[in-house]
Amino acid sequence: MNLADNILEAMKTVLPQGGGFLPLHEPVFPGNELAYTKECIDTTFVSSVGKFVDRFEEMLADYTGAKRAIAVTNGTAALHMALMLAGVKAGDEVIIPGLTFVATANAVAYIGAVPHIADSEEKTLGLDAQKLDAHLSEVAEVRNGECFNKETGRRISALVPMHVFGIPLDVDGLLAVCEKFSIPMVEDAAEAIGSFYKGKHCGRFGKIASLSFNGNKTITTGGGGAILTDDAEMADLCKHLTTTAKSPHKWEYFHDMVGYNYRMPNINAALGCAQMEKLDEILASKRKLAEKYATAFKDVEGVRFLTEPQECSSNYWFCTLVLEKGFEGDRDSILEATNGAAYMTRPLWTAMHRLPMFENCPRTDMSVAESLEKRVINIPSGAGIVGV
């Protein structure tokens, strides 16, 4: 058999058969989702006012260990706000991975800043700290406690690592780069709820971080995101800005800053509260599925199942196959065979530097990202596959 056939056979030992098309990541609602959303409808508190928003924020802060969590409309809004609060300004550069969902780059562009695109490493698919260090040593300089790109003259005002598919990346290595070059870290933990790096929740290492609760995430609020920070003043400003910067008053509408209508609706937060109550069970189901996949693919030549690094715990948001070098040409036949067998699979995103709006951005050598783009396949990953 060829590689596509071998991969399909391995998947069949793990996944259900004959039940119709199996999505890549279908949400599960095993708890109080219906009761909480019905309460919102019964009380008419479905929009940005209601008890579930505050409760969801408290649950997120408690689970992640952050001092504050601010719930917003989606993960992109969360990252946009996090970058603003970290001090990113129009005309700055922000270091982002080339291998990320486009929202990471878009959030930078919303501010009028420029993505500075960096390469990834094979082990986690995350930013390569050593390669970034070498690159910045050539093109950057620190002046008065801030980093500048010598080639463009622009300030490099943030570094945004993204934990790809919930796999914790090399946080220590990137923190060392941030310290060396005086660049604040803004973590894109959109895919990493329930993932831990050396015992600490992802999103807790930078100045501020963002989460996402889109419909295909580990837990969902339908659409939604959150900002995490330990800075109380920053959290208060975040809450103010994301609620249109309206000054508190019983009836008057006075806004003292340019604000954003980013507040999460209560009905979405109600879903989030119910999901948080079952998060440990959802994570356990996803880990069980990942372990089954790891066993199934252990002896399949030409492919490896992506696993968490030592001292880390992944949520295994998306279970991921990485084809070995030399098997790039098999990717599309694998996608055709698996989708044809009613198992949804998909390739990696197009690398950011190959998108037309970001192709002229400054960047490192991107050889690893370009290679991985041709070799990464996501396979069905929902918690409901093995049951919650």
Side-chain angles (χ1 to χ4, degrees):
M1 292 192 294
N2 58 31
L3 182 56
D5 290 335
N6 289 336
I7 285 176
L8 182 56
E9 289 305 309
M11 289 174 62
K12 286 180 177 178
T13 68
V14 175
L15 300 175
Q17 300 179 49
F21 191 74
L22 184 64
L24 191 64
H25 196 285
E26 198 169 30
V28 292
F29 302 112
N32 289 312
E33 289 86 358
L34 185 59
Y36 291 170
T37 53
K38 184 178 184 300
E39 181 179 335
C40 292
I41 294 169
D42 289 345
T43 61
T44 74
F45 284 96
V46 298
S47 192
S48 57
V49 176
K51 69 176 186 180
F52 287 111
V53 182
D54 292 338
R55 182 182 170 200
F56 185 50
E57 291 175 339
E58 291 167 0
M59 294 174 82
L60 286 173
D62 182 64
Y63 181 83
T64 63
K67 291 184 178 178
R68 295 283 294 278
I70 299 90
V72 293
T73 51
N74 55 58
T76 309
L79 184 56
H80 177 207
M81 188 56 50
L83 289 167
M84 289 182 60
L85 291 166
V88 176
K89 305 292 185 184
D92 287 349
E93 290 179 12
V94 175
I95 298 169
I96 68 166
L99 292 184
T100 185
F101 182 56
V102 70
T104 308
N106 284 345
V108 174
Y110 293 166
I111 298 174
V114 178
H116 187 134
I117 302 169
D119 205 7
S120 300
E121 49 93 12
E122 286 266 349
K123 184 178 180 181
T124 67
L125 312 186
L127 279 172
D128 187 325
Q130 292 185 341
K131 192 168 189 176
L132 181 59
D133 188 347
H135 170 73
L136 291 175
S137 295
E138 291 183 3
V139 306
E141 64 180 359
V142 178
R143 303 197 304 261
N144 299 319
E146 294 184 314
C147 186
F148 290 85
N149 186 333
K150 293 184 292 185
E151 296 178 352
T152 65
R154 292 188 287 253
R155 182 176 70 133
I156 301 175
S157 57
L159 183 151
V160 184
M162 199 275 280
H163 303 278
V164 180
F165 308 137
I167 300 289
L169 47 61
D170 179 13
V171 174
D172 287 344
L174 291 168
L175 284 172
V177 172
C178 288
E179 182 176 2
K180 179 178 178 179
F181 293 96
S182 297
I183 304 173
M185 179 183 286
V186 177
E187 273 184 89
D188 184 346
E191 302 173 359
I193 184 72
S195 293
F196 292 79
Y197 179 84
K198 296 184 177 179
K200 191 173 182 179
H201 197 279
C202 293
R204 293 290 323 289
F205 295 91
K207 188 172 186 179
I208 192 169
S210 62
L211 299 171
S212 173
F213 307 107
N214 187 39
N216 68 347
K217 291 299 192 292
T218 300
I219 62 168
T220 185
T221 56
I227 296 104
L228 301 178
T229 183
D230 288 341
D231 187 320
E233 185 176 343
M234 184 178 288
D236 288 341
L237 179 58
C238 182
K239 182 73 72 99
H240 185 58
L241 286 171
T242 55
T243 51
T244 68
K246 180 182 180 296
S247 298
H249 195 277
K250 289 183 178 180
W251 56 78
E252 287 187 352
Y253 282 82
F254 183 81
H255 307 261
D256 57 7
M257 302 174 72
V258 174
Y260 299 83
N261 191 14
Y262 282 174
R263 184 71 166 157
M264 177 181 282
N266 194 50
I267 196 167
N268 294 86
L271 268 182
C273 290
Q275 293 266 284
M276 285 296 295
E277 290 172 355
K278 295 292 186 177
L279 177 55
D280 286 344
E281 295 172 38
I282 291 170
L283 291 171
S285 294
K286 291 177 69 61
R287 176 165 292 275
K288 183 178 179 181
L289 177 63
E291 290 170 352
K292 287 178 176 288
Y293 275 138
T295 299
F297 287 104
K298 182 176 61 174
D299 298 321
V300 179
E301 184 179 356
V303 64
R304 69 180 173 96
F305 180 74
L306 186 66
T307 57
E308 62 203 7
Q310 288 186 343
E311 300 185 81
C312 297
S313 176
S314 175
N315 62 9
Y316 287 107
W317 171 50
F318 273 178
C319 291
T320 303
L321 302 179
V322 182
L323 304 181
E324 300 294 346
K325 292 179 180 178
F327 290 89
E328 295 89 341
D330 291 284
R331 188 197 71 170
D332 288 352
S333 63
I334 295 166
L335 292 168
E336 289 176 3
T338 50
N339 280 281
Y343 298 134
M344 184 178 179
T345 58
R346 75 172 198 189
L348 193 56
W349 315 283
T350 300
M352 294 302 99
H353 69 289
R354 297 204 309 109
L355 298 178
M357 58 283 199
F358 302 124
E359 62 185 359
N360 295 320
C361 291
R363 62 178 183 262
T364 70
D365 166 79
M366 298 298 294
S367 55
V368 176
E370 289 169 357
S371 175
L372 287 169
E373 185 184 351
K374 302 171 185 176
R375 297 188 287 116
V376 171
I377 297 173
N378 298 129
I379 57 181
S381 308
I385 291 173
V386 296
V388 177

